[in-house]
Each structure stands twice: as structure tokens, then as C-alpha cells.
Amino acid sequence: MNRAQRLPLAHLWVAFAAFGLASLMAVMQAMSRAEVQLPARTAAIYYLSVTAHGVLTALVFTTFFIMGFGYVIARTALRRPLVGEGVAWASFWIALIGTLLATLVIVLGKASVLYTFYPPLQAHPGFYIGAALLVIGSWGWCWVMVRTYRAWRRDNSGAPAPLAMHGLLATVIVWILATIGVAIEVVVLLIPWSLGITKTVDPILARALFWWFGHPLVYFWLLPAYVAWYTILPREAGGKLFSDPLARVVFVLFIVLSTPVGFHHQFMDPGIPAGWKLFHTVNTFAILFPSFLTAFTVIASLEVAGRMRGGRGLFGWLGKLPWGEPLFTSVVLAMTIFAVGGFSGAVNAGYGMNAMVHNTAWVQGHFHLTVGSAVALTFMGLTYWLLPRLLGRELKFPAFAQVQPWLWFVGMMFFAVANHVTGLLGMPRRVYDPAYFGAAAARAWAPWTAVSAAGGVILFVSAMSFLLVAVGTALWGKRMASPPEIAYAEPLEPVPPRRSLWDRFGLWTVLAVLLVLIAYGLPLFGLLRLERFGSPGFKPF
Ligand code: HAS
Ligand code: CU1
């Protein structure tokens, strides 16, 4: 392994450690929701566990994986060393220290506030400070990514950006816009309040700032997966990318539309005028469009691959695809699951239908299909592809790597479909006691929570198989004389040699900022002008 590989690998190992710990908690939670009487099962442990699971998967696993993957892309797609490797390492340590601090406080039972940390639930200041350090570390990553791109741009002023880097830059811009909201929430409202400097906090204002961050956060997770679907999958499938310009349009649409949609998480909240909720709804439906484009382009690319491999007839190309390759299987199953998750997302986004599913188990079903599968399963597939290339070792236990994505797929179907159904039957999310104090309605949930617990166990086996392959490869994988190179898919038609409108990141960022100012500036101003009431902090445990 040469020095350049150490930086991404350090990030990946933190991501995997977080994932392993979170998986252990997940299987206990799935059983607890089905009323399996595990030892030491109490409400306090349950909420501690749900907080740790949410933070370690949604915030730590994803962020560290994306940062590591981003460095790989910047170095290999731009074919040059990173600018500011020292800053990259410093950012890694800042993010890691923040993660360890927040995790410690959670494990000590002093921050059972769930990953959304809604006030007036109040955590120990260490939780908010740890989260802030994680974000500050990620800003260092953004800085290195942008500096490296600009150095490349100086030497290649008229050329189109390599598509993989184009997608990663979109990710960086979405992340910077998103984190401004949560930075204001944490620094101005939550840290002073948890330290006792301010006595009360305004929960609606805090929630609005959180969802300014919380929705683009989901596209910060998704866009690196899309980079893999567009630039790595078609090549690994033995084909070509169906359309390069369509992919660029998709990433640009995410830059512009990811943020001004957050009120779709607050349809049921008071204090936000209906007109603004409508504005965010229109934008939400607009942002379905780039994912429809993606569905079209990736399926077309797979068809191209299947036909290049000799597939004939309407569906004959499907059988010709490389189903034995772990990257391929993981990503295709992740995409298939995402088709279902996208459907539940569209349901969530409708004001009337949201009233039916909001705060029910449906929502946890939705996000396990999206971030928990479309994204996480893609990242697992990418790991099977990346580790041999970064470590120079063959994948250890390849049979496990082949079966693991299928286990994830089956486990997730059991888990998430059951959660969608119990949600429709009225089962709340995030509630420890599934018997609901003996309520009659709760009895209808029991068969389904058993299915979802079975799904949880299958997912756990899948997660452990993944970790076994990753750790096994690092420790015992056979050294390769010449590891495969990191290379990206060619488009079906050559990319025009001149930089196009879709590569004008400055222009798209300005448009995105304007939209954020309209979507948040005015309603936040309105909220601040209302008569202010605050809440003291609550610590139920
Ligand atoms: Fe969501 C709640 C709306 C996408 C994550 N979402 C959540 C929460 C999370 C989350 C974590 O409008 C819970 C937050 C909390 O804790 O309270 N979501 C949407 C919409 C989309 C969407 C409209 N969500 C995501 C993604 C996520 C994610 C992506 C993570 C990565 N979501 C909502 C709403 C709520 C919500 C409301 C609030 C609910 C409430 O009341 O609390 C869209 O972006 C979805 C677009 C996707 C598609 C699918 C396209 C399909 C593709 C694959 C095709 C390939 C195939 C393979 C089929 C339109 C691209 C073929 C295979 C061959 C072999 C050929
Ligand atoms: Cu959202």
C-alpha cells in the first residue's frame, strides 16, 4: 500500500467500525419492537440504542465513507495528487475526535435524543460539540476537494470535468449548503442552551433549521451512490454509460433543488404558513425528476452492457449481466430497492398522505430502503471493488461477498415492507412499547413486527458477512502483483471536448443559494417575528 491510499483507507475503517457497532444495536431494536424479551431490555437502553444506531449509521458511517470515497475519486478521476493532504488528515482527526466524543456521551446515557436531536429533548453539551466537530472535519474535506478541482481546472481550463468528479463536486456543494442550517442550530441555539447559558429554546425554530440540513443530507448520502451507478457500474457490467450529458443534468438539478424542500418533514408542525409548505412540496416533486432520469439512464446502461455481452431479445440481456460480481449485484439490488423507496418518498411528499404516515413505522420503512439500502448497499458493493484496488490484495471469502447483497435484499424486504404495513396500521415510530399499554389496535401489529424482526436478523447476518470480507481482505487477502486499476465507464457517445454549461458550478451554486434564501429566509424571518416562547430542556432518562 502506498502513502496515497492511507488517507481513504483510514476513513473507510472508521466507517466500518461505526457500521459494525450500529448493526449490533439494530438487531436488538428490531427484536425489541417485536416484544422479544432480551436481557436488560428497558426503555432507557432502547432509546440510548436507537440514538447510537441512528448517529453511527446516518451520520458517521455515511460521512466517513463519502469522504474516503471522495478522496479516491479526486485523485484518480483528475489524475493528480490531492491539494492540501495535511488539511485532509487534520480534518480526519477533528471528525474522528468529534465522533468519539458524541459516541461516548451517548453510550454513557447522557444523550438519548435520537439522531434528529429535536429540542426540547436535551443532551449533554459533549453530544452537540462532538457533532459540530464532525461537521467541521467534513468542511475540511470540502476544502480539499474544491482546491484539488481548482488546481486541475487551472491546467485544463476548457475541458469538461471528469463525470465522477462532477458528481462529487455536486455532493460537496449540497453538503456546504446543508450544513449552514445545522451549524446555526447547534452553535446559536443548542450549545448555549445545553451549557445553561440560555435557559430556553424554541423547538419550531430549531426543527426548521434542522430540516434545512436534514433533507439535503439525504442527497449528500445519495449522490456518491449515483456517482458509482453512473461511472463505475456500467464499466463493471461490461458496457458503457448510456448518456454523459443526462448524468450531468441530474447532478446539477440536485445542486439547485436539494435544500429548498425541508418543510416536507414539517407538514404537521405549527408555525409554518401553508403557502411555504406548498412551495417546499412543489420543489420536492421537482426533485423526484432527476431520480427518474437516473432510473432511465442506469437501466439503459445495463441494457447496453447486456447486449455488448451477447444478450438478445427483449430481456435476454438481463441474464448476460455479471451476476457473480459482488459490486454488480450489490448495486443492482440497491437500485431495485430504491425503486420501492422512491415510491414511499413520493407518498411522504403529498400533504394529505403524509398526515397518514407521519411519525409512523412507515417512515422508518422508507428510510431503510433509501439510505439503509440504496446508499448503504451501494457502499458495501463499492467496498468489494475498492479494497483490492487500495490494498493490493485479493478479496477474501468471495462467496460471502456474493451472498451478502442477496441477504441484505431479502432481509430488507422483510424489515421495510413490514414497517410500511405497520405504519399504515398506525404503529408509531420510535416507541419502545409495541404493545402500546395493551391497546387493541396494537395487537394487529404483532404478526408484522415479527416479520420485521426476522428481517432484522437476516440483515445482521448480512452485515457481519460484509465485515468479515472487509476485515479478512485487509488481514489475509492474497497480495496481488498488479492490482486492478481504478477506472471509470466510457459514455456511449464521446463527451464534447469543450466544457459545457453543466460544468459551471459557480453559476448553479448562485442559483441554489438564491432558492435557499427564498425558501428559508422569508419563513425563518416570519418565525422570528412571532411572539417567542421557549422551552426548558427535558431529559427523560
Ligand atoms: Fe425521504 C423522510 C420524501 C428520497 C431518507 N427520508 C425521510 C427520512 C429519511 C429519508 C432518513 O416528503 C426520515 C427522516 C426522519 O428521521 O424523520 N424522500 C422523499 C422523496 C424522495 C426521498 C420525495 N429519502 C430519500 C433518499 C433518502 C431519504 C434518497 C436517503 C438516502 N422522505 C420524504 C419525506 C419524508 C422523508 C416527505 C418525511 C416523512 C415524514 O412525515 O416524516 C425522492 O428523492 C425519491 C426519488 C426516488 C425515485 C426512485 C428512482 C429509482 C431508481 C432506481 C432504478 C433502477 C432499478 C434497477 C429499478 C423516484 C433511480 C433495475 C435493475 C435491472 C437489473 C435492470
Ligand atoms: Cu426529506
Side-chain angles (χ1 to χ4, degrees), residues 217-292:
L217 167 69
V218 317
Y219 297 130
F220 166 71
W221 301 326
L222 185 69
L223 292 192
Y226 274 14
V227 167
W229 299 4
Y230 281 117
T231 70
I232 296 173
L233 177 74
R235 185 188 172 94
E236 294 307 303
K240 294 190 169 193
L241 172 61
F242 181 73
S243 165
D244 177 281
L246 265 187
R248 286 176 205 260
V249 171
V250 164
F251 289 120
V252 165
L253 284 173
F254 278 108
I255 295 178
V256 176
L257 287 169
S258 283
T259 314
V261 297
F263 289 164
H264 69 221
H265 294 267
Q266 296 185 276
F267 284 149
M268 301 300 126
D269 282 11
I272 299 163
W276 285 113
K277 288 180 179 172
L278 177 67
F279 183 68
H280 284 226
T281 303
V282 172
N283 292 337
T284 303
F285 279 101
I287 208 166
L288 283 165
F289 180 63
S291 288
F292 289 137

Side-chain angles (χ1 to χ4, degrees), residues 24-36 38 46 415 419 449-450 452-457 459:
L24 202 65
M25 295 170 155
V27 69
M28 294 188 318
Q29 289 158 207
M31 290 204 243
S32 182
R33 292 274 285 182
E35 263 194 291
V36 179
L38 300 169
Y46 179 78
F415 178 82
N419 273 294
T449 53
S452 105
V457 173
L459 286 167

Side-chain angles (χ1 to χ4, degrees), residues 115 211 218-219 264 335 342 345 348-349 354 358 366-367 370 429:
Y115 90 104
W211 286 115
V218 317
Y219 297 130
H264 69 221
M335 297 191 314
N348 293 342
N354 184 274
H358 183 63
H366 165 70
F367 69 67
T370 50
R429 69 187 280 208

Side-chain angles (χ1 to χ4, degrees), residues 390-407:
L390 294 179
L391 292 166
R393 290 174 183 267
E394 279 176 19
L395 215 55
K396 191 77 186 167
F397 311 124
F400 276 86
Q402 283 171 334
V403 174
Q404 179 272 326
W406 290 103
L407 284 176

Side-chain angles (χ1 to χ4, degrees), residues 188-229:
V188 178
L189 300 182
L190 301 184
I191 293 181
W193 176 61
S194 68
L195 287 169
I197 299 170
T198 48
K199 293 288 165 243
T200 60
V201 74
D202 177 345
I204 289 290
L205 181 61
R207 285 162 72 94
L209 289 167
F210 181 85
W211 286 115
W212 164 340
F213 158 76
H215 187 85
L217 167 69
V218 317
Y219 297 130
F220 166 71
W221 301 326
L222 185 69
L223 292 192
Y226 274 14
V227 167
W229 299 4

Side-chain angles (χ1 to χ4, degrees), residues 61 73 132 141 157 166 176-177 211 217 232 244 250 254 272 295 313 328 379 393 403 408-409 466 469 477 483 537:
F61 166 66
I73 299 273
W141 170 76
S157 57
H166 180 101
I176 293 173
L177 283 176
W211 286 115
L217 167 69
I232 296 173
D244 177 281
V250 164
F254 278 108
I272 299 163
F328 177 83
F379 288 180
R393 290 174 183 267
V403 174
W408 196 270
F409 180 78
F466 165 72
V469 176

